[in-house]
Amino acid sequence: MKSFTRFTLLVFSLFITHNAMAQDDILESLSEIAIVDQKVMMPMRDGVRLATDIYRPKTDDKVPVIFSRTPYNFNSWGDGEQQTRTAQRAYEAVKRGYAYVVQNERGRYYSEGEWDILGVPLTDGYDAFTWMKNQSWSNGKIGTIGCSSTAEWQMAIAALDHPSHFAMVPQAYGAGVGRVGEFFEQGNWYRGGVEQMLFFSWLYGVEHDKFKPRIPAGATQEDLIRISRFYDLAPENPRVDMSEAMKHLPIQDILKNINGKQEVFDKMVRRKPNHPDWYKGGLYHDDMGFGVPSFWFASWYDVSISPNLALYNHVRNNAKDSEVKDNQYMVIAPVLHCRYTRATENTIVGERNVGDARLNYDEQIYAWFDWWLKGEDTNFKEKTPRVQYYTMGSNKWQAAEQWPPENTQLVTYYLNSGGDANSLYGDGELTTKKPNNDTPDSFIYDPMNPVKSYGGNVCCTGNAVQGGAFDQQIMETRNDILVYTTDVLDSGIEVTGFIESLLYVSSDVKDTDFTIKLIDVYPDGTAYNLDETIQRVRYREGYDKEVFMKKGMVYKVDLTPMATSNYFKKGHRIRIEISSSNFPRFARNLNTGGDNFNESEAVIAINSVHHSSKYPSQIRLPIKQ
C-alpha cells in the first residue's frame, strides 16, 4: 500500500509538472505575438467591475473581438486544464488577427458583485459589448463563442440586439434555453416537468460560498495581477460520491446533506416549471427577439438535444430581421456534452463505436468569424451546408437545408402485446399495424427501487451517470420496464429528426411519471440507447396547471419529442422502453401528488400503458425517404 501511494504521488507530481510546462509554453508563445492586458476591471452601469483578460495582436490596426464570458476560472497563472485552454484559444485568435477577450461573470473569482446562473443581469453583456466597441484597438465588431456555461448566456443577450454583436458560436447551449415551443426545460432544470438532477451536482462543484474571501473594493489592476499569482480564488470542494448523494430525500436538502453551497440551489429547487422567476433571469424564451447571425453546435448525447434543435428552428422561422433569419447554421455531432473536438477516426460514445466523426471545426468557425467580423469573402455560405448532422449506424456526416431534413416522413409504430410486455423476455411488439388487444401492460413502480440511469443524454452529474450509448439488455431484465421491439428489419431504415411519442396511461396514484427510451438492437442482441425523455403526468395539460389522475381513468400523455439521426441496419430491430423512472438522470416522482421536492415518503404505484383501437399508444419515427 505504501509503495502504491508513493507511486501515485509521483505520477500526480509528474502530471502537474507537465501541465505547468504546457501552460508556460503556451503563455510564452502568446506573449511573442500578443499584447497581454490582464485583470482589466471592466465597469458595468451599476459600478460593479468584471475581471477581464485581453489578448490582442501587436498591431496599430483596429481588430475585431472574439469574446468569451464564463463562470469558470481562467486565471492564467494556474496550471489547470481550463487555464491552459484559455491561453490556447487566445493564441489561436490572436494568430488569426483577433483580439481575444475573456471575462468572468459578476461574482465569480476576481469579478465583483453577486453571482447567479447565466451571469445576470443581462445588462452586463450589453455593457461589455459597448466597452469593447469603444476601445481604440477595436474595429467595433464582436463575435461571441463558448461551450456550455460559456455559451448559454449568449441567447438572451442576442435578444438585446447590441449593434456590435455581429455573430456568435454557441456550443452545447441547452441550459440557456428557457421555453421554446413545447419545451419548458427552463435551462435544463426540467424535462417534461421532472427535475433533471445535473444541476444538483453542477452547483455543488461550481458555486462559491457567500462567505468566500473577497478582494477589497477598488483594488488596482496592478494589485490584482500581483495577487493572482498566489491566489486564484478557486474553491476546492471535498470529493463527493454523487451516485449516493443524489439518493437523499427530500431532494431540496441534497446539497445541505453534503455541506454544499445552497443559495442559488435553494431558490431554484422550489420553482415549478412555469414559475415567474424563470422569466426574470438570463434564460432565452421564445417570446423574445433575436438579432444575431449564429453558428450553432449541438450533439446527439448532450442533455438537451431536442430543445437545442427547436431553438435553432425557432430563430430561423421567427427572427424579424431577414438577414438574421437567413444566417443560422447548425452542426450536430455524435458526441457527449462539449466533446466536439474529441471525435476521432474511431469515435466511441459510451460503448458504441460511431466511426470517424471528425470535422474541421476550427476552419469553419474562423471562416464564419472572418466573414462577419473582418468582412472577408470566405465563401462560408457556399462551402457550408445549412445543417451538418452525423448519422450513427451508417457513420457519416450528412447535409440538409432544414431540420428535420425535408425528405423525412413521420411513420407511426404502435405498441402491442398480449398484456405481458414486462422486461426483455415479455411479448411487447412495435408494429405499423394498429393494435387490437385491449389488455394493457402494467408494472409496479417503487420510487425506492427506481430504474437506474444507464448511459444516456447527460452531462455534469459527477459519477452518478456516465453518458453515451450502452448496452441496455441488463436493464431490460427488470420487470418494471416495458419493452416493445419490431421484427428484424428486412432493409435498413434511417431515422433522422424529432421522434414523437403518445401514450395512454392509467395508475392507482394521483401522479406519477412515464419514461421512454429509443434503442437500436443489433443482431446479437446488443441494445444501444439513442435518446430518452420523461413526462410528469400532472403536467400533461400544460405547465401552467396541475391536473391529477383518478384511479381507473385512462389519460392521454404526449411526451416531449426526442431527436436523433441513426441508421438501423438490415438485421437490426427498433425498440422502445417504457417505465416510470430513470434515476438519477431525473428526480424520482414519489407518487404522492405533493410538491415532491420537500417530501421523503413515497407511495408505490401500479402503472399501466394501454394499447388498443381506443387507446393506440404509439411512437412516430421520422424516416428518411
Side-chain angles (χ1 to χ4, degrees):
M1 179 62 72
K2 290 181 179 179
S3 62
F4 174 78
T5 302
R6 283 196 296 270
F7 176 75
T8 304
L9 288 172
L10 174 61
V11 170
F12 181 73
S13 175
L14 290 172
F15 173 78
I16 292 296
T17 302
H18 172 74
N19 268 6
M21 289 174 61
Q23 177 73 353
D24 290 342
D25 289 345
I26 191 63
L27 286 174
E28 182 178 350
S29 298
L30 188 55
S31 66
E32 291 175 357
I33 65 171
I35 297 170
V36 179
D37 199 7
Q38 295 179 316
K39 296 298 179 289
V40 175
M41 299 305 286
M42 189 183 294
M44 301 292 104
R45 64 185 63 184
D46 62 354
V48 168
R49 303 182 305 164
L50 304 187
T52 309
D53 285 0
I54 301 170
Y55 307 86
R56 55 189 178 88
K58 292 180 177 179
T59 177
D60 293 330
D61 295 334
K62 293 180 181 292
V63 297
V65 178
I66 294 177
F67 181 45
S68 179
R69 187 161 168 255
T70 180
Y72 298 124
N73 187 15
F74 59 78
N75 185 3
S76 63
W77 300 107
D79 54 18
E81 182 181 359
Q82 179 69 32
Q83 292 93 321
T84 302
R85 283 203 303 265
T86 297
Q88 289 171 336
R89 289 165 182 160
Y91 178 80
E92 287 299 319
V94 171
K95 184 175 67 173
R96 296 170 185 264
Y98 292 91
Y100 184 79
V101 180
V102 57
Q103 181 179 86
N104 268 138
E105 295 172 353
R106 66 166 57 203
R108 301 294 290 178
Y109 302 98
Y110 284 85
S111 286
E112 298 170 347
E114 300 298 327
W115 180 73
D116 201 349
I117 287 178
L118 298 178
V120 292
L122 296 182
T123 52
D124 282 358
Y126 198 93
D127 292 349
F129 291 145
T130 299
W131 187 93
M132 289 183 285
K133 172 184 74 73
N134 291 333
Q135 298 309 298
S136 61
W137 43 262
S138 170
N139 75 352
K141 295 183 178 181
I142 301 166
T144 52
I145 191 170
C147 197
S148 192
S149 290
T150 311
E152 292 149 1
W153 65 276
Q154 295 182 47
M155 283 81 73
I157 299 298
L160 301 182
D161 196 15
H162 191 286
S164 285
H165 194 188
F166 271 71
M168 66 184 205
V169 182
Q171 303 167 317
Y173 48 88
V177 183
R179 179 201 64 220
V180 55
E182 58 198 304
F183 296 97
F184 275 67
E185 293 211 352
Q186 306 297 22
N188 289 166
W189 192 269
Y190 282 105
R191 168 73 55 81
V194 183
E195 299 92 341
Q196 302 195 70
M197 300 190 77
L198 69 97
F199 272 114
F200 293 52
S201 171
W202 186 80
L203 282 168
Y204 174 79
V206 305
E207 188 172 359
H208 295 181
D209 198 282
K210 63 182 178 181
F211 296 112
K212 68 178 182 179
R214 294 174 185 267
I215 303 300
T220 67
Q221 181 183 15
E222 182 182 17
D223 285 335
L224 293 171
I225 291 174
R226 178 175 52 81
I227 64 174
S228 69
R229 295 170 178 261
F230 311 104
Y231 308 102
D232 67 2
L233 305 184
E236 295 185 16
N237 296 319
R239 290 189 179 183
V240 168
D241 182 351
M242 281 296 170
S243 64
E244 289 298 319
M246 288 187 181
K247 295 177 183 177
H248 183 81
L249 292 172
I251 63 172
Q252 69 176 13
D253 291 338
I254 285 179
L255 291 195
K256 179 180 179 182
N257 189 55
I258 55 177
N259 297 313
K261 285 76 70 178
Q262 301 168 66
E263 293 84 26
V264 172
F265 175 80
D266 278 357
K267 64 184 181 183
M268 293 182 72
V269 76
R270 292 174 173 81
R271 292 182 194 168
K272 293 186 178 181
N274 208 33
H275 192 285
D277 283 354
W278 292 118
Y279 303 91
K280 297 177 182 177
L283 293 173
Y284 180 86
H285 303 286
D286 58 11
D287 60 349
M288 301 164 70
F290 198 94
V292 183
S294 306
F295 192 14
W296 308 86
F297 286 78
S299 50
W300 291 130
Y301 284 94
D302 201 357
V303 68
S304 58
I305 178 61
S306 291
N308 289 2
L309 297 174
L311 177 58
Y312 165 79
N313 281 344
H314 169 75
V315 175
R316 270 213 81 195
N317 295 329
N318 296 286
K320 292 182 180 179
D321 187 321
S322 60
E323 184 179 56
V324 172
K325 180 184 293 189
D326 187 52
N327 286 289
Q328 303 296 321
Y329 289 80
M330 168 75 77
V331 171
I332 317 168
V335 294
L336 298 172
H337 183 73
C338 286
R339 299 293 181 89
Y340 305 104
T341 57
R342 300 188 187 184
T344 68
E345 60 184 336
N346 288 295
T347 302
I348 308 296
V349 55
E351 294 176 334
R352 188 184 188 191
N353 188 326
V354 296
D356 189 348
R358 292 174 294 181
L359 193 68
N360 56 338
Y361 294 107
D362 286 348
E363 179 183 328
Q364 292 191 40
I365 289 170
Y366 276 103
W368 173 257
F369 280 146
D370 288 347
W371 176 28
W372 286 104
L373 306 184
K374 292 182 178 180
E376 294 182 359
D377 184 8
T378 62
N379 293 320
F380 180 90
K381 297 192 75 160
E382 291 73 20
K383 294 180 179 179
T384 312
R386 176 75 63 181
V387 179
Q388 299 169 79
Y389 65 95
Y390 193 85
T391 301
M392 299 172 289
S394 58
N395 296 348
K396 62 183 181 181
W397 283 101
Q398 300 199 75
E401 183 57 28
Q402 64 182 47
W403 187 264
E406 59 185 5
N407 56 343
T408 58
Q409 179 178 345
L410 284 174
V411 176
T412 302
Y413 285 76
Y414 297 95
L415 281 58
N416 207 348
S417 79
D420 183 22
N422 306 74
S423 85
L424 177 65
Y425 308 111
D427 62 358
E429 298 177 341
L430 197 59
T431 174
T432 54
K433 296 180 180 179
K434 290 187 176 181
N436 53 21
N437 190 316
D438 292 336
T439 306
D441 293 306
S442 300
F443 60 93
I444 296 172
Y445 164 45
D446 180 357
M448 298 307 176
N449 183 27
V451 173
K452 179 182 177 182
S453 303
Y454 190 56
N457 310 65
V458 301
C459 87
C460 318
T461 54
N463 68 334
V465 187
Q466 185 177 354
F470 289 85
D471 186 359
Q472 301 295 306
Q473 288 182 97
I474 188 171
M475 304 302 299
E476 293 167 350
T477 61
R478 292 182 60 125
N479 219 41
D480 55 357
I481 296 178
L482 305 180
V483 179
Y484 302 89
T485 312
T486 65
D487 289 336
V488 173
L489 299 177
D490 293 331
S491 58
I493 293 176
E494 181 182 320
V495 173
T496 295
F498 291 113
I499 297 101
E500 301 175 358
S501 45
L502 170 64
L503 301 180
Y504 291 90
V505 304
S506 61
S507 181
D508 64 348
V509 296
K510 293 174 60 178
D511 184 50
T512 194
D513 297 340
F514 281 90
T515 67
I516 194 166
K517 190 178 293 185
L518 177 66
I519 293 169
D520 184 348
V521 184
Y522 283 50
D524 65 357
T526 301
Y528 285 131
N529 50 296
L530 297 170
D531 199 3
E532 59 202 2
T533 192
I534 191 169
Q535 183 64 45
R536 187 146 290 174
V537 181
R538 70 173 73 178
Y539 294 119
R540 67 190 178 278
E541 296 182 17
Y543 296 99
D544 57 346
K545 56 185 174 181
E546 299 177 54
V547 183
F548 295 100
M549 296 185 291
K550 295 180 180 179
K551 186 176 181 179
M553 298 288 291
V554 178
Y555 299 97
K556 176 182 175 181
V557 176
D558 277 298
L559 287 85
T560 56
M562 299 178 284
T564 197
S565 181
N566 187 77
Y567 183 71
F568 295 83
K569 294 179 180 179
K570 176 182 178 180
H572 287 220
R573 292 176 291 164
I574 303 170
R575 173 176 293 165
I576 65 168
E577 293 176 5
I578 294 173
S579 191
S580 285
S581 53
N582 182 346
F583 177 79
R585 164 91 162 85
F586 303 106
R588 294 165 285 180
N589 193 329
L590 301 183
N591 298 330
T592 66
D595 287 332
N596 207 71
F597 65 80
N598 58 6
E599 297 180 300
S600 300
E601 301 295 326
V603 175
I604 294 176
I606 299 176
N607 293 337
S608 299
V609 175
H610 299 256
H611 42 74
S612 64
S613 56
K614 184 178 181 180
Y615 301 121
S617 292
Q618 59 196 254
I619 186 168
R620 293 184 287 273
L621 301 179
I623 294 179
K624 192 172 181 180
Q625 304 301 304

Short mmCIF file of all heavy atoms in Angstrom, two decimals, residues 278-296:
data_model
loop_
_atom_site.label_atom_id
_atom_site.label_comp_id
_atom_site.label_asym_id
_atom_site.label_seq_id
_atom_site.Cartn_x
_atom_site.Cartn_y
_atom_site.Cartn_z
N TRP A 278 -38.46 32.18 -13.53
CA TRP A 278 -37.72 31.65 -14.68
C TRP A 278 -37.61 32.71 -15.78
O TRP A 278 -36.71 32.66 -16.62
CB TRP A 278 -38.38 30.41 -15.25
CG TRP A 278 -38.35 29.20 -14.38
CD1 TRP A 278 -39.43 28.53 -13.86
CD2 TRP A 278 -37.19 28.47 -13.93
NE1 TRP A 278 -39.02 27.45 -13.12
CE2 TRP A 278 -37.66 27.38 -13.14
CE3 TRP A 278 -35.82 28.63 -14.11
CZ2 TRP A 278 -36.79 26.47 -12.54
CZ3 TRP A 278 -34.95 27.73 -13.51
CH2 TRP A 278 -35.44 26.66 -12.74
N TYR A 279 -38.54 33.65 -15.80
CA TYR A 279 -38.62 34.63 -16.87
C TYR A 279 -37.96 35.96 -16.51
O TYR A 279 -38.06 36.93 -17.25
CB TYR A 279 -40.09 34.84 -17.26
CG TYR A 279 -40.74 33.54 -17.68
CD1 TYR A 279 -41.40 32.74 -16.75
CD2 TYR A 279 -40.65 33.07 -18.99
CE1 TYR A 279 -41.97 31.53 -17.11
CE2 TYR A 279 -41.22 31.86 -19.36
CZ TYR A 279 -41.87 31.10 -18.42
OH TYR A 279 -42.42 29.88 -18.78
N LYS A 280 -37.26 35.99 -15.37
CA LYS A 280 -36.62 37.21 -14.91
C LYS A 280 -35.09 37.15 -14.99
O LYS A 280 -34.42 38.14 -14.74
CB LYS A 280 -37.03 37.50 -13.47
CG LYS A 280 -38.51 37.76 -13.27
CD LYS A 280 -38.84 37.96 -11.80
CE LYS A 280 -40.33 38.18 -11.57
NZ LYS A 280 -40.66 38.30 -10.12
N GLY A 281 -34.52 35.99 -15.28
CA GLY A 281 -33.07 35.84 -15.25
C GLY A 281 -32.44 35.92 -16.62
O GLY A 281 -32.80 36.75 -17.45
N GLY A 282 -31.49 35.02 -16.88
CA GLY A 282 -30.73 35.07 -18.11
C GLY A 282 -31.14 34.05 -19.15
O GLY A 282 -30.41 33.84 -20.13
N LEU A 283 -32.30 33.42 -18.98
CA LEU A 283 -32.75 32.42 -19.95
C LEU A 283 -33.37 33.09 -21.18
O LEU A 283 -33.96 34.16 -21.09
CB LEU A 283 -33.79 31.49 -19.31
CG LEU A 283 -33.29 30.57 -18.20
CD1 LEU A 283 -34.47 29.84 -17.56
CD2 LEU A 283 -32.29 29.56 -18.75
N TYR A 284 -33.25 32.41 -22.32
CA TYR A 284 -33.91 32.86 -23.53
C TYR A 284 -35.26 32.15 -23.66
O TYR A 284 -35.34 30.92 -23.54
CB TYR A 284 -33.07 32.55 -24.77
CG TYR A 284 -33.75 33.00 -26.04
CD1 TYR A 284 -33.61 34.31 -26.49
CD2 TYR A 284 -34.58 32.14 -26.75
CE1 TYR A 284 -34.26 34.74 -27.64
CE2 TYR A 284 -35.24 32.57 -27.89
CZ TYR A 284 -35.08 33.87 -28.33
OH TYR A 284 -35.75 34.29 -29.44
N HIS A 285 -36.32 32.92 -23.90
CA HIS A 285 -37.66 32.38 -24.12
C HIS A 285 -38.16 32.78 -25.50
O HIS A 285 -37.73 33.80 -26.06
CB HIS A 285 -38.62 32.89 -23.04
CG HIS A 285 -38.16 32.57 -21.65
ND1 HIS A 285 -38.23 31.30 -21.11
CD2 HIS A 285 -37.60 33.35 -20.69
CE1 HIS A 285 -37.76 31.33 -19.88
NE2 HIS A 285 -37.36 32.55 -19.60
N ASP A 286 -39.07 32.00 -26.03
CA ASP A 286 -39.46 32.20 -27.42
C ASP A 286 -40.37 33.40 -27.66
O ASP A 286 -40.81 33.63 -28.80
CB ASP A 286 -40.10 30.93 -27.99
CG ASP A 286 -41.32 30.47 -27.20
OD1 ASP A 286 -41.81 31.23 -26.34
OD2 ASP A 286 -41.78 29.34 -27.44
N ASP A 287 -40.66 34.20 -26.62
CA ASP A 287 -41.36 35.47 -26.85
C ASP A 287 -40.39 36.63 -26.94
O ASP A 287 -40.80 37.79 -27.03
CB ASP A 287 -42.39 35.72 -25.75
CG ASP A 287 -41.78 35.81 -24.36
OD1 ASP A 287 -40.58 35.48 -24.21
OD2 ASP A 287 -42.50 36.18 -23.42
N MET A 288 -39.09 36.32 -26.93
CA MET A 288 -38.05 37.34 -27.04
C MET A 288 -37.58 37.42 -28.49
O MET A 288 -37.70 36.47 -29.25
CB MET A 288 -36.87 36.98 -26.12
CG MET A 288 -37.25 36.88 -24.65
SD MET A 288 -36.01 36.02 -23.62
CE MET A 288 -34.68 37.22 -23.62
N GLY A 289 -37.04 38.57 -28.85
CA GLY A 289 -36.48 38.71 -30.19
C GLY A 289 -35.15 38.00 -30.30
O GLY A 289 -34.67 37.35 -29.36
N PHE A 290 -34.54 38.13 -31.49
CA PHE A 290 -33.22 37.51 -31.69
C PHE A 290 -32.54 38.26 -32.82
O PHE A 290 -33.08 38.36 -33.92
CB PHE A 290 -33.35 36.03 -32.05
CG PHE A 290 -32.07 35.26 -31.86
CD1 PHE A 290 -31.82 34.60 -30.67
CD2 PHE A 290 -31.11 35.22 -32.86
CE1 PHE A 290 -30.64 33.90 -30.48
CE2 PHE A 290 -29.93 34.52 -32.67
CZ PHE A 290 -29.69 33.86 -31.47
N GLY A 291 -31.34 38.82 -32.55
CA GLY A 291 -30.75 39.72 -33.51
C GLY A 291 -29.37 39.39 -34.03
O GLY A 291 -28.70 40.28 -34.54
N VAL A 292 -28.91 38.14 -33.90
CA VAL A 292 -27.52 37.85 -34.23
C VAL A 292 -27.40 36.62 -35.14
O VAL A 292 -27.97 35.56 -34.84
CB VAL A 292 -26.71 37.59 -32.93
CG1 VAL A 292 -25.24 37.36 -33.26
CG2 VAL A 292 -26.86 38.75 -31.96
N PRO A 293 -26.66 36.70 -36.25
CA PRO A 293 -26.34 35.51 -37.04
C PRO A 293 -25.58 34.50 -36.17
O PRO A 293 -24.68 34.88 -35.41
CB PRO A 293 -25.44 36.06 -38.15
CG PRO A 293 -25.83 37.50 -38.27
CD PRO A 293 -26.15 37.94 -36.88
N SER A 294 -25.93 33.22 -36.29
CA SER A 294 -25.42 32.23 -35.33
C SER A 294 -25.02 30.93 -36.03
O SER A 294 -25.69 30.47 -36.96
CB SER A 294 -26.48 31.92 -34.27
OG SER A 294 -26.93 33.10 -33.65
N PHE A 295 -23.94 30.37 -35.52
CA PHE A 295 -23.43 29.08 -35.97
C PHE A 295 -23.52 28.15 -34.76
O PHE A 295 -22.68 28.18 -33.88
CB PHE A 295 -21.99 29.25 -36.46
CG PHE A 295 -21.42 28.08 -37.20
CD1 PHE A 295 -22.22 27.05 -37.69
CD2 PHE A 295 -20.05 28.01 -37.44
CE1 PHE A 295 -21.67 25.98 -38.38
CE2 PHE A 295 -19.49 26.95 -38.13
CZ PHE A 295 -20.31 25.94 -38.60
N TRP A 296 -24.58 27.35 -34.72
CA TRP A 296 -24.93 26.56 -33.54
C TRP A 296 -24.25 25.19 -33.57
O TRP A 296 -24.13 24.58 -34.63
CB TRP A 296 -26.44 26.33 -33.48
CG TRP A 296 -27.28 27.56 -33.58
CD1 TRP A 296 -27.71 28.19 -34.73
CD2 TRP A 296 -27.82 28.32 -32.50
NE1 TRP A 296 -28.48 29.27 -34.43
CE2 TRP A 296 -28.56 29.39 -33.07
CE3 TRP A 296 -27.76 28.20 -31.11
CZ2 TRP A 296 -29.24 30.32 -32.29
CZ3 TRP A 296 -28.43 29.14 -30.33
CH2 TRP A 296 -29.16 30.19 -30.92
#
